[in-house]
Amino acid sequence: MFKKKTVKGVDVRGRRVLVRVDFNVPLSEGSVTDDTRVRAALPTIRYLVDHGARVIIASHLGRPSGEPDPRFSLRPVRRVLQRLIGRNVVFVDDIAGSDAREAVERMVDGEILMLENVRFDPGEKANDPGFAAKLASLADIYVDDAFGAAHRAHASTVGVADHLPAYAGLLLAREVETLSGMLLDPERPFVAILGGSKVSDKFGVIDRLLESVDTLIIGGGMCFTLLVAKGVDVGKSLVEDEWVEPAKEMLAKAADNDVDLLLPVDFIVAEEITEDADTSIVGREEIPADMMGLDIGPTTVELFKGAISSARTVFWNGPMGVFELTPFETGTRAVASAVARNSRAVSVVGGGDSVGALKKFGLEERITFVSTGGGASMKLLEGSVLPGIEALLDA
Ligand code: ADP
Ligand code: MG
């Protein structure tokens, strides 16, 4: 299923291994507030250390403008990695210049060196061949474990693979195996729950899921475009007019493929999206002209929970409502809990906001697989080629 060579297929002892990870972590006042992405990269880093490699870590962090910017330094992440892996991590305030080169020359087997944010060089995002060559010249082998950045063709995710034998890291391999395995060979019933703001963002994913799932549940802002396609008046709810026609095709495809498509039957509505908004519960045919549907209603929650509880494979992406605000979080919390409670199912959750919701509700530990790649997991599921994966050696 995963057609690329992984780090386990190469002798790394005594070799300099450039590992691209996704340490794009949230920072507050110079401290890492969520270390999930660092933890996710530990298996690959440990594997390399245990097998005597000289491990050179590269990552991006945030969106600096192609020049050094202390707000986006990876230095605070070094402390986190050091604590989690229980070893010294050397940090060099350079990416591919003479300081980095000298630091690499001083390395011994099993040592870890962390480079500064690759996006401090404009050549990173431009996938500049000169920058990629300089970065690659630090190492003998390249390992890509940055699944969250695999949909971007940058110097440290794609360019370096022109110069070095390129292997997949263990996280990247596991992400691809889990997500594509779910589509190709799921235990049935396979229930997918899609939500979030826009149908345009997820159209490709839904289209592909319609070829694989038994039941497709759609909530969140995107459901209103589908409801309009069915002739329902949705008041001021979020609708993408130019996606009404594609939404009609989506409904037809669901029918053709015998997919049970569940849409909300009631909503929490309000005139404004605020923490103290006046809310009411209405049936889906009764959304007032001046109001927006901002969460699924209680009858819908029961309907969705029923489908989720009987699944053997569940995929969830996209909040059911504006879960960031208390009046509109109930539907997302209920759906997330139903996914977590179904212990007979393999559960997979992807998407930045959905994973954020899981964390907010404290349910992350009860999910079989939480994808670390927001945009990358969606691209993979919609069947797009991910340049960071494409660049690796074929198995
Ligand atoms: P993910 O990051 O998990 O893929 P999205 O980015 O697609 O999810 O969508 C998340 C956003 O969708 C949240 O900010 C949430 O407030 C918004 N959203 C959910 N339901 C609605 C709704 N009914 N109306 C407007 N926005 C919504
Ligand atoms: Mg999002």
Side-chain angles (χ1 to χ4, degrees), residues 240-257:
E240 292 176 278
D241 293 326
E242 60 292 12
W243 285 85
V244 172
E245 280 310 312
K248 285 183 185 165
E249 287 163 30
M250 200 186 268
L251 295 169
K253 182 163 176 174
D256 282 348
N257 291 3

Side-chain angles (χ1 to χ4, degrees), residues 31 54 83 100-101 137 157 182 221 248 307:
S31 300
R54 304 178 180 199
R83 175 170 50 76
R101 185 168 312 281
S137 73
T157 59
M182 176 184 80
K248 285 183 185 165

Side-chain angles (χ1 to χ4, degrees), residues 8-72:
K8 291 196 170 163
V10 56
D11 184 9
V12 297
R13 187 162 303 277
R15 319 283 297 279
R16 300 168 301 165
V17 181
L18 178 68
V19 191
R20 175 56 155 102
V21 294
D22 177 8
F23 282 176
N24 184 25
V25 293
L27 288 174
S28 171
E29 289 168 19
S31 300
V32 177
T33 54
D34 181 348
D35 63 10
T36 308
R37 286 187 164 156
V38 183
R39 286 178 189 276
L42 291 177
T44 297
I45 299 173
R46 272 209 191 99
Y47 177 89
L48 288 168
V49 167
D50 290 348
H51 288 78
R54 304 178 180 199
V55 186
I56 307 162
I57 294 180
S59 178
H60 75 285
L61 174 61
R63 296 171 184 268
S65 55
E67 56 181 273
D69 180 338
R71 290 174 302 163
F72 299 109

Side-chain angles (χ1 to χ4, degrees), residues 34-115:
D34 181 348
D35 63 10
T36 308
R37 286 187 164 156
V38 183
R39 286 178 189 276
L42 291 177
T44 297
I45 299 173
R46 272 209 191 99
Y47 177 89
L48 288 168
V49 167
D50 290 348
H51 288 78
R54 304 178 180 199
V55 186
I56 307 162
I57 294 180
S59 178
H60 75 285
L61 174 61
R63 296 171 184 268
S65 55
E67 56 181 273
D69 180 338
R71 290 174 302 163
F72 299 109
S73 174
L74 276 164
R75 201 177 271 278
V77 186
R78 167 225 190 177
R79 285 194 299 274
V80 174
L81 175 60
Q82 209 159 242
R83 175 170 50 76
L84 291 174
I85 204 153
R87 292 179 154 265
N88 186 47
V89 176
V90 178
F91 187 83
V92 61
D93 189 15
D94 186 21
I95 311 163
S98 52
D99 288 356
R101 185 168 312 281
E102 281 162 26
V104 170
E105 274 163 20
R106 285 193 293 271
M107 288 178 87
V108 297
D109 295 357
E111 193 174 300
I112 306 171
L113 171 75
M114 195 162 165
L115 305 174

